[in-house]
Amino acid sequence: MKLSTVALVGRPNVGKSTLFNKIVGKQISITEDIPGVTRDRIYQEASYNKKKFYLIDTGGIDTTKMDFNSEIKMQAEIAIDEADIVVFIVDGKEGLTTNDLVVRDILRKTDKKIIVAINKMDVKDAKENIYDFYELGFDTYIPISSIHNIGYIELMDTITMNFKEQEETEDSRVKFSIIGRPNVGKSSLTNALLNEERVVVSNIAGTTRDSIDSILKYNNEEYVIIDTAGMRKKGKVFESIEKYSLFRSLKSIDRSDICIVVINAEEGITEHDKHIAGYAIERGKGLIFAVNKWDTVKDISIQEYEKIMKAEFQFATYAPIVFISALTKKRIHTIMPEVVKVNENIKREIKTSILNEVIQDSYQLNLPPSYKGKRLKIYFTSQTGTKPPKFTFRVNNKGLIHFSYERYLENKIRENFDFEGTPIVLQFKNRNGDEE
């Protein structure tokens, strides 16, 4: 399902983040450190009147900062390249500024729809400054207050005017994305896979910013490859800030069943690799690591490199690892069998009686520690979801769950059932229905 994209741009302190949080319906600080994803969360899926879309919150554009030329170019390219609609937020209280004019000059070069949101209209001075903003020369102006809800409905109606209500269409084909930081060989791997199978059936055109999904047939089954083509280099400035290049991976991850995270064997594992893999796990996607450019590595064996991978990706030791060379096509044949296997595992369902037997045996083998004279008791366990597999435990008091015992239970489930390549979710509920 292809979603439209809306970008919020403007100078610092005009209320972008406040509006961003209001639209997505929760507090998301773009500078908050969120483990496993990225230090700067700049986008979120949002919805309004059953219309879903992606929302980007960009950093404030300020001409007084050092190296401003490169920064403003990066910000403008992100907003313009990714967005269907750009919401240009200005500060009604302070009035028109030089920074606003600079942003205007950049946005005027695009053919995207620009909506000027004049924020802080709850302040008296803003009403006196409102007409100054017409100097910006755009067609649509909406006075708002992100804090006091002024103009919000009109703004959202205008943003989503031409968006269609999203209806899920059933597509049973397995979709897998090839993701990773810039220049690790994602597109080369996509091309190698398609050429290896030699059965490209058709192309499904996405939007101008999204990738084109390719269809290949493997063992008489169709698979959809989502290549993050949008991550290709468009200039040193654009791709040198990796926190913004991540956005393109995020959209592909959301549309996938399985993610293949490409690692550059020459450069080794970076924090950005971990962020991308972490987001795939957070979204409940199947996971495969592809160590690319393996033909260039001479001083380490596959077994040794696997140990390094397991150590670096301790949160995803269940993910299979393949070693390939997209350029020479060596070992490319090892990827599709892993895709097939992981697809089976993310949909795997365990019989309740067998599951309870395993959990009770594990419980008796290693009793949880007592806390203030109370000990966790597990009465019943059932599988309550797939993609990813989800297990619900009925217990006496879910407050007695310690993260180490939860990890122990997950390990026992993995020991007894094949969930290679898929995250699994454990949920604990009190048997008496009291969730406090």
Side-chain angles (χ1 to χ4, degrees):
M1 179 174 65
K2 301 293 181 67
L3 301 183
S4 299
T5 300
V6 178
L8 308 180
V9 302
R11 60 185 179 82
N13 301 318
V14 294
K16 294 186 301 298
S17 294
T18 302
L19 181 60
F20 179 87
N21 291 337
K22 185 175 182 61
I23 293 174
V24 302
K26 53 186 174 181
Q27 286 293 124
I28 297 179
S29 171
I30 63 171
T31 57
E32 181 175 331
D33 196 358
I34 302 175
V37 186
T38 177
R39 184 165 297 172
D40 297 79
R41 178 71 70 89
I42 62 163
Y43 107 112
Q44 183 76 17
E45 186 177 305
S47 64
Y48 177 77
N49 287 347
K50 298 182 180 180
K51 297 177 180 180
K52 293 183 179 181
F53 56 94
Y54 288 116
L55 185 67
I56 313 174
D57 183 13
T58 61
I61 298 174
D62 188 350
T63 55
T64 63
K65 289 185 177 180
M66 295 291 290
D67 298 324
F68 170 72
N69 290 334
S70 62
E71 287 292 324
I72 197 168
K73 182 174 183 292
M74 181 267 294
Q75 293 284 359
E77 284 186 342
I78 292 166
I80 292 169
D81 189 62
E82 300 296 348
D84 298 282
I85 293 176
V86 177
V87 179
F88 179 12
I89 304 175
V90 295
D91 188 331
K93 179 181 178 181
E94 293 191 15
L96 193 63
T97 69
T98 302
N99 281 339
D100 294 326
L101 296 176
V102 173
V103 178
R104 173 205 62 183
D105 292 342
I106 295 172
L107 294 179
R108 282 172 118 181
K109 297 176 183 178
T110 178
D111 58 356
K112 304 294 175 64
K113 180 178 179 179
I114 309 296
I115 299 171
V116 180
I118 307 173
N119 196 21
K120 305 183 183 180
M121 290 306 296
D122 53 304
V123 180
K124 182 180 178 180
D125 293 345
K127 295 178 181 178
E128 299 176 2
N129 295 327
I130 188 170
Y131 294 104
D132 293 344
F133 292 104
Y134 286 89
E135 181 183 332
L136 294 171
F138 295 109
D139 296 329
T140 306
Y141 297 82
I142 301 177
I144 68 169
S145 170
S146 298
I147 296 177
H148 292 89
N149 217 32
I150 297 172
Y152 180 73
I153 293 176
E154 182 184 357
L155 175 64
M156 296 308 299
D157 285 343
T158 305
I159 290 173
T160 61
M161 182 185 305
N162 296 317
F163 293 177
K164 294 180 179 179
E165 290 188 12
Q166 298 293 338
E167 295 183 2
E168 296 285 351
T169 55
E170 189 65 30
D171 186 352
S172 59
R173 294 176 300 188
V174 178
K175 301 177 182 65
F176 65 93
S177 58
I178 297 175
I179 61 176
R181 56 191 174 87
N183 302 318
V184 293
K186 298 181 300 296
S187 295
S188 297
L189 176 54
T190 300
N191 294 335
L193 280 170
L194 293 172
N195 185 58
E196 176 78 7
E197 304 307 328
R198 300 180 183 276
V199 284
V200 181
V201 179
S202 63
N203 288 326
I204 302 173
T207 68
T208 55
R209 289 155 311 285
D210 286 328
S211 58
I212 294 178
D213 297 349
S214 300
I215 313 302
L216 67 79
K217 189 172 285 186
Y218 178 79
N219 288 347
N220 295 319
E221 295 286 340
E222 284 191 356
Y223 294 79
V224 180
I225 305 180
I226 303 172
D227 175 26
T228 51
M231 288 184 73
R232 290 171 185 160
K233 206 167 190 178
K234 294 192 176 182
K236 291 181 180 178
V237 173
F238 194 87
E239 288 296 345
S240 66
I241 312 294
E242 288 190 334
K243 63 183 179 181
Y244 289 106
S245 70
L246 177 62
F247 174 78
R248 295 182 178 82
S249 285
L250 303 186
K251 291 201 293 186
S252 294
I253 289 170
D254 284 339
R255 296 174 49 226
S256 306
D257 299 303
I258 300 167
C259 298
I260 300 177
V261 180
V262 183
I263 305 295
N264 187 335
E266 285 183 310
E267 298 176 358
I269 301 158
T270 70
E271 287 301 311
H272 194 47
D273 295 324
K274 297 176 186 178
H275 292 157
I276 293 172
Y279 190 86
I281 294 170
E282 183 186 75
R283 303 299 281 187
K285 307 301 180 179
L287 193 67
I288 299 169
F289 288 112
V291 181
N292 191 27
K293 306 183 183 181
W294 186 245
D295 55 312
T296 65
V297 177
K298 306 299 181 185
D299 57 349
I300 189 172
S301 67
I302 285 179
Q303 291 75 18
E304 290 171 326
Y305 206 96
E306 279 183 340
K307 290 181 180 179
I308 295 173
M309 289 285 291
K310 298 290 185 183
E312 292 290 336
F313 293 97
Q314 292 184 28
F315 56 89
T317 55
Y318 57 81
I321 307 169
V322 294
F323 294 81
I324 62 169
S325 170
L327 186 64
T328 65
K329 299 179 185 176
K330 287 184 178 179
R331 300 175 61 87
I332 290 295
H333 67 278
T334 61
I335 291 180
M336 286 309 297
E338 296 296 342
V339 170
V340 173
K341 179 175 65 178
V342 172
N343 179 56
E344 292 174 352
N345 292 343
I346 63 176
K347 299 185 298 183
R348 187 176 302 283
E349 296 186 47
I350 306 302
K351 192 174 179 180
T352 303
S353 59
I354 298 175
L355 176 63
N356 276 276
E357 184 178 335
V358 167
I359 295 302
Q360 290 304 320
D361 286 348
S362 301
Y363 179 84
Q364 295 299 329
L365 182 65
N366 180 17
L367 291 174
S370 61
Y371 177 72
K372 292 184 178 180
K374 296 181 180 180
R375 190 187 304 275
L376 174 74
K377 294 180 181 179
I378 300 175
Y379 299 114
F380 183 77
T381 309
S382 60
Q383 184 172 354
T384 52
T386 59
K387 300 179 71 172
K390 180 179 179 181
F391 300 93
T392 299
F393 294 73
R394 287 292 177 177
V395 299
N396 60 331
N397 184 349
K398 66 178 185 179
L400 295 173
I401 295 292
H402 190 271
F403 76 90
S404 61
Y405 199 76
E406 181 176 351
R407 185 170 56 199
Y408 165 75
L409 292 174
E410 177 180 342
N411 290 338
K412 283 299 180 182
I413 291 174
R414 290 190 181 279
E415 285 177 15
N416 286 273
F417 309 107
D418 187 359
F419 285 115
E420 184 181 12
T422 178
I424 62 176
V425 178
L426 306 188
Q427 178 179 346
F428 298 88
K429 292 186 176 182
N430 295 343
R431 186 174 67 169
N432 60 10
D434 181 8
E435 296 304 321
E436 294 299 324

